[in-house]
């Protein structure tokens, strides 16, 4: 016996609309799920994905952009550590140290 579950695909605009409705305080997650027929898990994931953060300079970033920046920052820190080790290896040491 095979079970074929059909999954509904929602476009990005629909997801953002539900997140905005939730963030504006107009409706609870439960109410939105019932009204629009989406799962609680999907809505929670969309809220995490499309929530925004305002930076000190007024720029607005999505959670996805913040995650990408964190990943890039970790990559740059790793490259810096490698460069520091390379400098230590290739810099001659004096006997006075």
């Amino acid at each position: 016996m095979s079970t074929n579950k059909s999954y509904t695909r929602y476009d990005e605009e629909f997801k953002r609309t539900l997140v905005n409705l939730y963030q504006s305080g107009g409706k609870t997650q439960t109410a939105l799920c019932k009204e629009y027929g989406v799962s609680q898990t999907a809505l929670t994931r969309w809220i995490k994905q499309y929530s925004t953060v305002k930076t000190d300079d007024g720029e607005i970033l999505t959670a996805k952009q913040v995650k990408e920046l964190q990943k890039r920052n970790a990559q740059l820190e790793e490259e810096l550590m490698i460069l520091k080790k390379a400098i230590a290896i290739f810099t001659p040491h004096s006997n006075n140290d």
Side-chain angles (χ1 to χ4, degrees):
M1 176 179 203
S2 67
T3 57
N4 291 334
K5 292 184 178 181
S6 75
Y7 295 98
T8 305
R9 287 235 184 248
Y10 299 99
D11 65 0
E12 193 169 327
E13 184 180 341
F14 176 78
K15 295 174 187 178
R16 287 183 189 276
T17 300
L18 289 185
V19 171
N20 288 336
L21 285 171
Y22 172 73
Q23 289 179 331
S24 68
K27 302 209 177 205
T28 64
Q29 284 189 30
T30 305
L32 289 169
C33 290
K34 287 180 181 177
E35 186 176 339
Y36 292 95
V38 299
S39 72
Q40 185 80 32
T41 305
L43 182 57
T44 301
R45 187 175 57 247
W46 299 342
I47 290 168
K48 288 179 184 176
Q49 183 179 1
Y50 295 107
S51 292
T52 58
V53 176
K54 189 172 185 179
T55 63
D56 292 340
D57 62 357
E59 185 178 1
I60 297 176
L61 301 172
T62 64
K64 183 178 179 181
Q65 289 171 315
V66 170
K67 191 170 189 160
E68 288 170 358
L69 288 171
Q70 289 172 331
K71 184 178 177 181
R72 179 68 177 143
N73 188 44
Q75 180 185 9
L76 291 171
E77 287 177 353
E78 184 177 347
E79 289 174 9
L80 178 61
M81 183 183 68
I82 292 168
L83 290 171
K84 285 181 178 180
K85 287 180 180 180
I87 288 172
I89 292 170
F90 293 111
T91 302
H93 299 289
S94 66
N95 290 336
N96 295 337
D97 288 342

